[in-house]
Amino acid sequence: MRDYKVNSLTILHYGRDYLVTALQAVYPLVDRQLIFYVPHPSHGHRTSLPPIESRDELLDSIPAYMWDKLQWIDTDFWDEGQQRDYALSVASQNADLVLTVDYDEIWHPHVLDKVLNHVWQMNGARRWLVNMLHFWRSFNYACTDSNWPVRIIDTRHSGGIGYVPKELGDIYHMGYAVTNAVMRYKWECHGHKDELRPNWFEEKWQAWPPIDDCHPTNGKNDEGVGWWNPKPFDKRELPYVMHSHPFWDLDLIK
């Protein structure tokens, strides 16, 4: 038994394709799972498009057994900062560590166990950053980068930054292993919509087999190296919960 408590938070507007898988992957290792739902985009631009998925569709996708730990909280934020501050304040109650689980991020349970224990034993910072693998239009290609988003908050501390060692294992971001419809909706309300590269959908997203330099906003660096270069990935390395996913057998997710 651990001598510390872990709550997870998920901010949700859409994401049915991976929501349950993301929650299931961390379920054994968290004490509470909190979903903060918002019926409209809150992380970037507003859009006149109707939500691509309804609240009921998302709710109904969650298996009954998960509700022993899960709490659904309806919110109405338009601003990402305010929403994340509120979600963290709630998730921090009766928790030593708070794990942010975006709907499209999948953990290996054994990797998460090592990461949580590392953060707890280090006991040196409030905000812990992780590096991820980014899947590209299937489970067979993935990209690397040098981004480090915050995914764990250690409530024992008021400040400080720590970096989770990459050697502890891969964390999987599935936000670009989605359908065309989801991707187009995503970029209608994305926080970096104004930075989207010209003709990205036609020249980068639609290209198959995948081509290098395919990041939606970041182009080549001064050395001519592209940002996000999809490389073949052995999908059997993905967590077991992914092996029954509807996209598992697809060479290309359309």
Side-chain angles (χ1 to χ4, degrees):
M1 293 290 292
R2 292 195 313 256
D3 57 357
Y4 58 91
K5 290 188 175 181
V6 182
N7 290 345
S8 71
L9 72 83
T10 300
I11 293 176
L12 183 66
H13 169 51
Y14 68 92
R16 185 174 54 168
D17 287 338
Y18 292 105
L19 173 63
V20 173
T21 309
L23 296 175
Q24 285 176 326
V26 305
Y27 175 86
L29 292 165
V30 300
D31 296 280
R32 296 174 64 212
Q33 295 183 291
L34 298 107
I35 293 178
F36 297 86
Y37 173 76
V38 63
H40 46 69
S42 59
H43 283 37
H45 291 261
R46 302 188 185 191
T47 177
S48 59
L49 295 176
I52 196 167
E53 296 158 356
S54 72
R55 175 182 182 274
D56 288 345
E57 287 175 324
L58 294 165
L59 266 172
D60 291 345
S61 70
I62 299 172
Y65 78 88
M66 299 192 74
W67 289 98
D68 66 336
K69 292 185 179 182
L70 192 146
Q71 181 180 358
W72 180 284
I73 300 171
D74 288 303
T75 67
D76 193 26
F77 290 94
W78 284 101
D79 178 80
E80 177 182 4
Q82 293 178 351
Q83 185 179 32
R84 287 203 177 274
D85 289 347
Y86 171 73
L88 180 58
S89 69
V90 175
S92 297
Q93 297 172 14
N94 300 314
D96 299 300
L97 303 180
V98 177
L99 171 69
T100 295
V101 180
D102 281 4
Y103 78 89
D104 57 4
E105 295 172 0
I106 313 295
W107 290 78
H108 259 299
H110 73 268
V111 171
L112 178 58
D113 188 43
K114 289 189 292 185
V115 168
L116 293 173
N117 286 329
H118 175 84
V119 170
W120 185 253
Q121 292 164 9
M122 291 297 290
N123 190 19
R126 177 173 176 81
R127 301 163 68 238
W128 285 85
L129 288 64
V130 304
N131 185 251
M132 297 185 181
L133 274 179
H134 309 274
F135 282 76
W136 187 258
R137 305 216 60 192
S138 77
F139 296 174
N140 300 314
Y141 289 90
C143 313
T144 59
D145 64 21
S146 56
N147 283 347
W148 289 78
V150 177
R151 286 299 178 264
I152 299 175
I153 298 294
D154 186 339
T155 65
R156 295 172 294 178
H157 301 281
S158 60
I161 294 175
Y163 291 83
V164 172
K166 295 179 67 172
E167 293 76 17
L168 295 183
D170 289 325
I171 306 158
Y172 305 117
H173 173 222
M174 313 306 295
Y176 289 79
V178 296
T179 65
N180 290 322
V182 168
M183 184 54 60
R184 290 194 177 277
Y185 182 80
K186 178 176 186 168
W187 278 98
E188 279 297 314
C189 54
H190 202 286
H192 294 281
K193 179 180 178 180
D194 293 340
E195 303 166 43
L196 183 64
R197 297 167 72 182
N199 303 315
W200 176 79
F201 277 99
E202 296 77 15
E203 297 177 3
K204 303 295 184 178
W205 177 254
Q206 297 289 358
W208 199 259
I211 60 176
D212 286 351
D213 182 31
C214 64
H215 193 278
T217 63
N218 295 351
K220 294 181 179 179
N221 62 20
D222 292 340
E223 288 74 39
V225 178
W227 189 274
W228 281 15
N229 302 309
K231 303 301 180 187
F233 179 86
D234 184 352
K235 64 184 177 183
R236 293 172 296 181
E237 296 181 18
L238 289 167
Y240 183 73
V241 293
M242 293 290 287
H243 293 204
S244 58
H245 194 280
F247 294 162
W248 179 262
D249 291 322
L250 297 181
D251 295 325
L252 173 64
I253 301 167
K254 297 180 180 181

